Amino acid sequence: MKEKFIVQFLEEAAEFIDKLDEKTRDKIIYNIQKSRVSNDKELFKKLKGEIWEFRTLYNKTHYRLFAFWDKTGNTDTVVISTHGLIKKTDKTPQGELEKAENLRKQYFNLKITHNEQ
């Protein structure tokens, strides 16, 4: 199957995954890989505005990795994962959405600055 996008992790997202035990980390990576070839809202879902989330339920625990799309490249569509959390309630904390949006803005500001040099 053809992959619809590639995934890159910002430092905080990579650190979140690295801190998890091996089986949990493997399950999250498996779900991210699966979401790259299928349109499954249980795995990858739009939250608000430009912010999406990779979703994993493993051992009765909900893991979330916030993300956004970068379609500015010439070839590949990229999904950038900003950071993660272990979800304790049904509602996504507003502060986490704002954090993801701020990281998205920083990413594109740095990208524009870098391209102008």
Side-chain angles (χ1 to χ4, degrees), residues 11-24:
E11 185 176 349
E12 198 170 330
E15 288 172 358
F16 173 77
I17 292 173
D18 286 345
K19 289 179 183 173
L20 299 170
D21 67 84
E22 185 179 357
K23 287 186 178 186
T24 302

Side-chain angles (χ1 to χ4, degrees), residues 41-55 63-69 82-85 87 89-101:
K41 287 184 173 42
E42 290 300 311
L43 298 176
F44 189 54
K45 177 181 170 185
K46 185 172 187 172
L47 288 177
K48 182 179 177 187
E50 301 295 320
I51 304 303
W52 292 63
E53 69 179 354
F54 289 106
R55 306 158 53 98
Y63 298 90
R64 299 293 186 260
L65 281 167
F66 296 92
F68 60 87
W69 294 82
T82 59
H83 68 291
L85 63 83
K87 196 166 176 194
T89 64
D90 288 342
K91 195 163 171 71
T92 301
Q94 184 61 34
E96 299 297 334
L97 289 169
E98 290 169 3
K99 180 177 183 175
E101 180 58 30

Side-chain angles (χ1 to χ4, degrees), residues 3-49:
E3 295 169 344
K4 296 175 173 69
F5 54 87
I6 60 173
V7 179
Q8 294 178 352
F9 299 96
L10 296 183
E11 185 176 349
E12 198 170 330
E15 288 172 358
F16 173 77
I17 292 173
D18 286 345
K19 289 179 183 173
L20 299 170
D21 67 84
E22 185 179 357
K23 287 186 178 186
T24 302
R25 188 170 44 242
D26 289 348
K27 179 66 173 179
I28 290 171
I29 298 300
Y30 172 80
N31 281 353
I32 288 172
Q33 297 292 0
K34 194 172 168 186
S35 72
R36 294 171 64 203
V37 295
S38 69
N39 289 332
D40 186 343
K41 287 184 173 42
E42 290 300 311
L43 298 176
F44 189 54
K45 177 181 170 185
K46 185 172 187 172
L47 288 177
K48 182 179 177 187

